[in-house]
Amino acid sequence: MAKQLDYHTIREIFTRFHEAEAEPKGELEHVNVYTLVVAVALSAQATDAGVNKATRGLFAIADTPQKMLDLGLDAVTDHIKTIGLYRNKAKNVMKMSQMLVDEYGGEVPNSRAALQSLPGVGRKTANVVLNMWWGQPAQAVDTHIFRVGNRSGIAPGKDVDAVERAVEDHIPADFQLHAHHWLILHGRYTCVARKPKCAACLIRDLCMFEDKNL
């Protein structure tokens, strides 16, 4: 596990991220907070591009919990069959939609605990929704953030919970809102898993990764 970078280095890293892209956005397509929850839940062990392709048609006809229930399990399953684990995910979408109708009046709740009570919604999904929709500085740690956090020394940790705490503890408050998007995008396009593009990396001189390629 990498050592922890100091505060001033981390501030410089996020200053550079901010200068390169001041308002980073998530890449999952959605039309409202309900479709955002569904999209994020579907994205587990799937790519954002794959989820977007599957949900465009679905969200065009079912953008509320009740419309999803009216569509029915078989139709929902058919729409998302190109996504990994689609049968189980379709069942969770239906259970989630039913719970939203029964317990929340068809509205998506804006607390982490309430979101995590929904079928198919874990802490990561809840944090993405809190961050993207309600502008809370919640940190959703996926494989990209886990890799970048440990490789770089920005937020090292032995598991996702430890990395989440490191992000919250060590990234300056004024960068917290967009921190997880900057880290995800950096991991998705530059600090990739197998052959990181260190030569094109804007934080290469600050990163603690020992195997920086030449």
Side-chain angles (χ1 to χ4, degrees), residues 1-2 4 123 127 139-142 145-147 149-150 153-171 183:
M1 191 169 73
Q4 176 70 56
R123 185 178 180 86
N127 281 349
Q139 306 302 333
V141 177
D142 67 353
I145 293 182
F146 186 80
R147 179 174 66 254
N150 277 292
I154 293 170
K158 67 181 187 300
D159 54 38
V160 293
D161 291 337
V163 171
E164 182 181 327
R165 288 193 298 272
V167 169
E168 292 172 345
D169 290 346
H170 297 289
I171 293 174
L183 292 171

Side-chain angles (χ1 to χ4, degrees), residues 97-106:
S97 301
Q98 191 67 60
M99 188 171 177
L100 287 171
V101 168
D102 292 345
E103 298 187 23
Y104 296 99

Side-chain angles (χ1 to χ4, degrees), residues 117-138:
S117 75
L118 300 172
V121 176
R123 185 178 180 86
K124 173 174 165 274
T125 296
N127 281 349
V128 171
V129 175
L130 290 172
N131 180 273
M132 287 182 65
W133 194 261
W134 282 293
Q136 295 185 24

